[in-house]
Amino acid sequence: MKPRKSSVNRSTKETTVSVSINLDGTGKTTIHTGISFLDHLITAFGKHGMMDLKVNAKSNDKIEHHLIEDTAITMGLAIDKALGTRSGITRFSYASVPMDESLAETSIDLVKRPFWKLVLSVKRNTIEGISKEDLEHFFQSLLQNLNICVHLTVKYGDNDHHKVEAAIKSLAVAFREASSYDKKQKGIPSTKGSM
């Protein structure tokens, strides 16, 4: 099997972001965005997705929103690139992940048709120093740049930190399973013969 690795660099007047990924890794991560909770979420994504992930993101304009958005965009582009033709993969998956009182569910199809539905159910205006809208925007920007179909829903919970962390973990686990090779699958997993 061809190694599923990629590197993407994105540089604008607002940010400089580099992402390197190995989809067939062991969950080793090196994450530096300068935002502790964002680093924590991306680390969890790599660890539970069993992908080796390096992210270096720097703000050039000191605006946190731009840094969060561009980090997510670059991650999505790198993952899409690493998936390549998507030949031989499982394609579909589902993961339900609890974190204490919170439960998040992700259904995923790695078809090359971007669609996403996101329900984080966050109530507080800030979580660990990041605004609610910026956390939601991180997920939105990541999902729309993955070039996949995904439905991610926090079913319930009381603690917003737990909700968001359960959400990223459910996405990671569902992605890991969907992107894994299926020994029975020959070629593109589609009746069309193309993704």
Side-chain angles (χ1 to χ4, degrees), residues 33 40 56 88-89 101 115 147 155 167:
T33 67
H40 178 61
N56 284 298
I89 64 169
E101 85 300 335
F115 179 84
N147 198 21
K155 301 297 284 185

Side-chain angles (χ1 to χ4, degrees), residues 101-122:
E101 85 300 335
S102 297
L103 182 70
E105 296 180 345
T106 298
S107 294
I108 200 166
D109 176 3
L110 296 186
V111 67
K112 290 184 179 181
R113 288 196 306 273
F115 179 84
W116 55 270
K117 178 72 175 175
L118 175 69
V119 180
L120 287 180
S121 303
V122 172

Side-chain angles (χ1 to χ4, degrees), residues 11-87:
S11 186
T12 70
K13 291 179 181 179
E14 298 171 348
T15 64
T16 302
V17 182
S18 65
V19 174
S20 296
I21 189 163
N22 175 5
L23 295 182
D24 303 305
T26 60
K28 182 180 177 183
T29 60
T30 306
I31 315 299
H32 300 290
T33 67
I35 304 172
S36 298
F37 190 47
L38 184 61
D39 288 357
H40 178 61
L41 294 175
I42 297 170
T43 297
F45 182 68
K47 176 68 175 175
H48 297 289
M50 291 301 289
M51 60 186 85
D52 295 340
L53 184 58
K54 291 183 182 178
V55 176
N56 284 298
K58 178 178 165 274
S59 175
N60 297 328
D61 63 6
K62 309 302 181 201
I63 297 174
E64 193 170 87
H65 174 89
H66 295 155
L67 184 65
I68 291 168
E69 176 182 53
D70 287 356
T71 299
I73 290 170
T74 311
M75 285 174 57
L77 294 172
I79 293 167
D80 180 35
K81 184 178 176 183
L83 281 169
T85 64
R86 308 180 189 202
S87 181

Side-chain angles (χ1 to χ4, degrees), residues 42 45 68-69 71-79 116 136-148 150 152 168 171:
I42 297 170
F45 182 68
I68 291 168
E69 176 182 53
T71 299
I73 290 170
T74 311
M75 285 174 57
L77 294 172
I79 293 167
W116 55 270
E136 290 172 342
H137 194 57
F138 170 77
F139 278 89
Q140 292 164 356
S141 297
L142 175 61
L143 297 178
Q144 71 190 61
N145 284 279
L146 285 172
N147 198 21
I148 64 175
V150 60
L152 195 168
I168 199 77
L171 176 63

